[in-house]
Amino acid sequence: MNIEEPERQETLLDTISLYLHIPFCHAKCHYCDFNSYAGMLGLREQYVAALLDEIALAGERTRLPDGSPRRCRTIFFGGGTPSLLTAEQVAAILAASRAAFALDAEAEITLEANPGTLEYGHLDELYAAGVNRLSMGAQSFDAGLLRWMGRIHTPAEIETAFAAGRAAGFEQINLDFIYALPGQSLATWRETLTKAIALAPDHLSLYSLIVEEGTPLNTWVQQGRVRPADEDTAADMYELAEQMLADAGYGHYEISNWARAGHECQHNLTYWHNLPYLGLGAGAHGWYGAHRYSEARPIRDYIARVRETVRSAKTGDQTTALPALPAAAVVEDEAISHTLEMSETAFVGLRLSEGIDRRAFAARFGQDFEQVFGPRLTAVRAAGLLDESATHVRLSERGRLLGNEVFTCLLLEDEEAGATA
Amino acid sequence: MDQSHIRNFCIIAHIDHGKSTLADRLLEYTGTISKREMAEQVLDQMDLEREKGITIKAQAVRMRYTAKDGKDYELNLIDTPGHVDFSYEVSRSLAACEGALLVVDATQGIEAQTLANLYLAVEADLAIIPVINKIDLPSAEPEKVAKEIEDVIGLPGEEVVLASAKEGIGTQDILEAVVRQVPPPRGSTSNTLRALVFDSKYDAYKGVIAYVRVMDGTISRNDRIRMMQTESTTDVLEVGYFSPTLVAVNQLTAGEVGYIATGWKTVKDCQVGDTVTLSAAPATEPLAGYRPAKPMVYAGIFPIEGDDYPLLRDALDRLKLNDASLVYEPESSVALGFGFRCGFLGLLHMEIIQERLEREYGLDILMTAPSVEYRITRTNGETLFIHNPAELPPPTEIEQIEEPMMDISIFTPARYIGTIMDLVASHRGVFRDMKYIEEDRVHLTYRMPLGEMIVDFYDQLKSRTQGYASLDYTFADYEPSKLVKLDILVNGQSVDALSMMIHQDKAQSQGRALTERLKELIPRQLFEVPIQAAIGSHIIARETVKAMRKNVLAKCYGGDITRKRKLLEKQKEGKKRMKRVGSVEIPQEAFMAILSLGGE
């Protein structure tokens, strides 16, 4: 599989992807711990204004040494529910992004949408504004499970919204589904997959339910009202999906992601190749200039911080001499060492079915994958979790379901890697 | 001071019956210590003691009291350990006294432990002063408790002192009773020196400090002394008494209680029950009652990280400085690597050592399930004692196995007799006697193997009787028993640290229960892991931990790689806390699984 060819990964280290967080929702789902808020739509305009300012600032701060804007390959509107933005707002954000960065003409521009919030006209406008990929949170085709999750849409609305997307001109549509839900049977899951395949989406993301702290779901589990699906059921569901989607002609290019050839999500590949991306917006995460950072989560806090940063940038009274990070509302900042970057590149890279390209790894880090990690992989190799060739290291079929067993072996302590270096 | 003005006494009480509070009131009333200086409970100085509400080390304090007769008295209060694990230490403390306050809670009545210690006191010929405490509580029934004391112990009800240590009621009455009823010490200052060591502790500046009661003669600073049992000698650095801090004096004479600073580096030189005499003019006979510390319960202690072995050894060495009853020797386990086989006076003692190693020395340790000491007679007639199942000779070489038996005594409300009978029977206990001490209270006695008691008996007894039953036990004898060694094989490999001695009639059911429990405790690994219970080469139970199928993080929302990495780091840390046996990772709890099997 040559997803990223002909461009070499190492040349892409000078480009960025752009993640824009839209934290609004009509209702908060019971399992969700993302940075999203219901009942705050009144702040939408102020928020978009702040986001526009932040995009402009980020463009300034990421200019190339010759002063030209940095190349941007993909844009992803994530949420929350980005489909709660008006088409005008999306258009304004994209215009700001084009002004701030050198956006590829063919750039993948994805917008996440809730099937319950979509309208025909709106979709046409979004497409006209430049969005060329839709990612819909379908989650399930079982009405009972959708209600249980606190979703605001019905199974029928998934089909309507999907058809509307196609009608609006979208040639790339992803559907998200969640499995291993409490009480979900293998039969229900099969039915959901069958219906999903029948719609012929270009891309599918299947996520195993995670009980996150601070969610209503977690409370229910703690109280014993809900029992999460066991490991075997979850594994059975995963294997069923692998089988059915392979039969339907989808490539399994990442642990949780399937696509028709050529429709792999370029934005997500940025993450798996551990390439730089700017996260802008409330609670967004970014990876740029050997730093990982995250932004203020509360909407009002985010807006206030952006305003303050923009004001100081204009008047020149900067407290710090050089802004280390492109974002304007950073609350967490972690410098990533060379060693840590190797670990992260290795464990995110192994999520891809193409695996880690040994040549690309060596070119990026000046060290051989085998030399750095080989000695730590004895047990997982013996257990058959890896599938290795002269050019690549991949997870085996079994290894995909046991990725963490391999990934934990890839976490280096700084001194160890120093010794290997 | 003139011997006729000295009174040496101790307090016997059940946990929570108010011994420490009462001691505080006596110290306050006599002006030994002001209220301001009073830490919550002066006599219990160790943190662990405060937490557990029990006394581990004996303490002694001297009080001055002007009695109603107008004369000044020197009252020495010796605080005694309150747990059955330390009954030998209790007996030595009692031997240093002429009287005892028997403190009974007005709402609870007499408990097994109180009675056991009371018998020790009666045996030691002490004058007993019954005190009914907590009479201020609404549920107090002093008349009923007084009658119980009269029935059970034969002490006349009218001699009982009614008190509330919390409210300060009855404090003076108690002190007057001590002066009137406790006989003054006998013993001549002109005889050769004999002083009884009833406790000792290590002090960084003065070396080992021996807590002594001088029985005969006089001891002064710079005397050269000799311990009649351990035969250690030293020059006395200092003598003095406790007030409750150390107060140096020139000499201690017959009848007095105080301390000797010995300069020794370890309490091993100066054991509880030993007799101090002068090197130059030694006594001919030591004081009666000395017994070297004898561990009853054994367990392996292993560092979680093998590198910590030297630290563990240092920590045990240091605990040993202050605890002559702790014994240990290096042990090497196939499963757990290098560690120590430790002997304890009982389960509480074991728990205390474990907690001190963790808290005071910051060690991550793993303890194996406790065992007792078995007496093995070989076919060649040779006998040996083993306290580690792994040391059992091959079955063909064993003529007989004997196990330690205990006489146990239980006080309980009558409504629990049935449940206790069941519990005891399931622990191979044999009924001896049952006495009604009043309409609703029964005293039960049994003979039971110690090996059955150390697992979960006490916890079960407490939970099945809602905490109402109290327990005491003493070693009775070794008796032959049909014991077998139950081995546990994990992934086909015998894990020595999980082996246990068990009665053959229970082997099948326990083997099954243990493999089931281990199946729950051992997490799924990358491969299928069989868990088998075996006696010799005969497999009696088998469970399988299925191979792990799914362990992978699903999503990476908005590129939050940091969070992903942190989750992975957490998983990695979790693995580090497990012990790797062969290629299987076993969590610590698995090694104590035998303790959590529950009832039958």
Side-chain angles (χ1 to χ4, degrees), chain B residues 368-384:
Chain B
T368 61
S371 167
V372 299
E373 190 165 61
Y374 298 96
R375 182 157 71 191
I376 315 291
T377 310
R378 287 197 133 124
T379 41
N380 65 7
E382 185 192 338
T383 64
L384 69 157

Side-chain angles (χ1 to χ4, degrees), chain A residues 6-286:
Chain A
E7 279 185 298
R8 290 195 156 179
Q9 278 177 37
E10 54 266 37
T11 66
L12 299 177
L13 285 165
D14 288 333
T15 68
I16 56 144
S17 280
L18 196 53
Y19 174 83
L20 302 171
H21 192 75
I22 309 301
F24 306 102
C25 277
H26 272 321
K28 187 96 180 162
C29 302
H30 301 323
Y31 56 85
C32 175
D33 77 329
F34 299 153
N35 190 41
S36 59
Y37 306 87
M40 304 279 270
L41 267 177
L43 290 174
R44 190 167 49 167
E45 287 190 15
Q46 287 179 52
Y47 182 80
V48 170
L51 190 57
L52 292 174
D53 283 347
E54 194 183 27
I55 290 168
L57 188 80
E60 282 305 316
R61 288 179 175 181
T62 55
R63 282 181 185 274
L64 295 169
D66 67 1
S68 61
R70 191 166 291 264
R71 179 181 161 205
C72 174
R73 296 179 297 109
T74 69
I75 296 179
F76 195 101
F77 288 87
T81 312
S83 51
L84 288 177
L85 293 179
T86 65
E88 291 73 25
Q89 286 170 328
V90 172
I93 291 168
L94 289 177
S97 303
R98 286 198 175 87
F101 303 97
L103 187 67
D104 283 358
E106 302 294 305
E108 174 192 277
I109 300 174
T110 308
L111 182 128
E112 287 187 324
N114 185 314
T117 63
L118 288 172
E119 304 153 35
Y120 268 114
H122 185 229
L123 278 176
D124 289 343
E125 289 164 23
L126 286 173
Y127 188 75
V131 176
N132 55 26
R133 186 172 182 272
L134 278 183
S135 176
M136 290 191 193
Q139 316 313 5
S140 176
F141 273 107
D142 184 278
L145 287 174
L146 285 175
R147 270 198 304 278
W148 180 87
M149 286 186 266
R151 300 292 299 180
I152 58 169
H153 63 85
T154 63
E157 278 173 311
I158 299 170
E159 286 163 355
T160 315
F162 187 88
R166 286 287 191 229
F170 286 96
E171 288 175 9
Q172 296 210 70
I173 303 184
N174 166 62
L175 294 179
D176 276 354
F177 289 95
I178 300 180
Y179 65 97
L181 293 159
Q184 186 181 27
S185 68
L186 203 58
T188 332
W189 177 231
R190 180 179 284 117
E191 207 173 306
T192 283
L193 288 168
T194 306
K195 287 186 177 166
I197 291 166
L199 289 179
D202 312 281
H203 189 284
L204 287 138
S205 297
L206 310 182
Y207 298 122
S208 176
L209 179 72
I210 298 177
V211 180
E212 301 282 6
E213 268 174 45
T215 60
L217 174 59
N218 188 49
T219 312
W220 300 341
V221 170
Q222 299 295 319
Q223 293 169 343
R225 289 162 60 191
V226 163
R227 206 164 66 176
D230 63 37
E231 180 182 331
D232 289 311
T233 310
D236 287 344
M237 291 185 175
Y238 186 82
E239 284 169 3
L240 177 68
E242 276 187 311
Q243 186 58 52
M244 289 177 68
L245 293 177
D247 291 348
Y250 289 91
H252 189 178
Y253 76 101
E254 194 269 346
I255 286 175
S256 310
N257 288 289
W258 284 259
R260 289 194 190 289
H263 289 78
E264 293 82 9
C265 175
Q266 297 303 312
H267 184 83
N268 282 338
L269 284 171
T270 301
Y271 301 150
W272 309 134
H273 286 139
N274 204 23
L275 294 170
Y277 53 92
L278 303 185
L280 304 178
H285 293 258

Side-chain angles (χ1 to χ4, degrees), chain B residues 231-305:
Chain B
E231 300 191 336
S232 310
T233 58
T234 190
D235 292 321
V236 174
L237 300 180
E238 187 178 303
V239 296
Y241 62 88
F242 306 93
S243 182
T245 49
L246 306 188
V247 179
V249 293
N250 289 328
Q251 60 177 33
L252 292 172
T253 59
E256 288 191 303
V257 171
Y259 70 89
I260 305 171
T262 64
W264 278 318
K265 294 293 169 231
T266 149
V267 294
K268 211 164 57 192
D269 288 311
C270 181
Q271 301 203 355
V272 172
D274 206 341
T275 305
V276 184
T277 193
L278 294 176
S279 282
T284 46
E285 283 292 315
L287 297 162
Y290 172 76
R291 208 174 72 198
K294 172 95 184 75
M296 299 297 278
V297 177
Y298 295 82
I301 300 184
F302 294 85
I304 298 281
E305 296 281 345

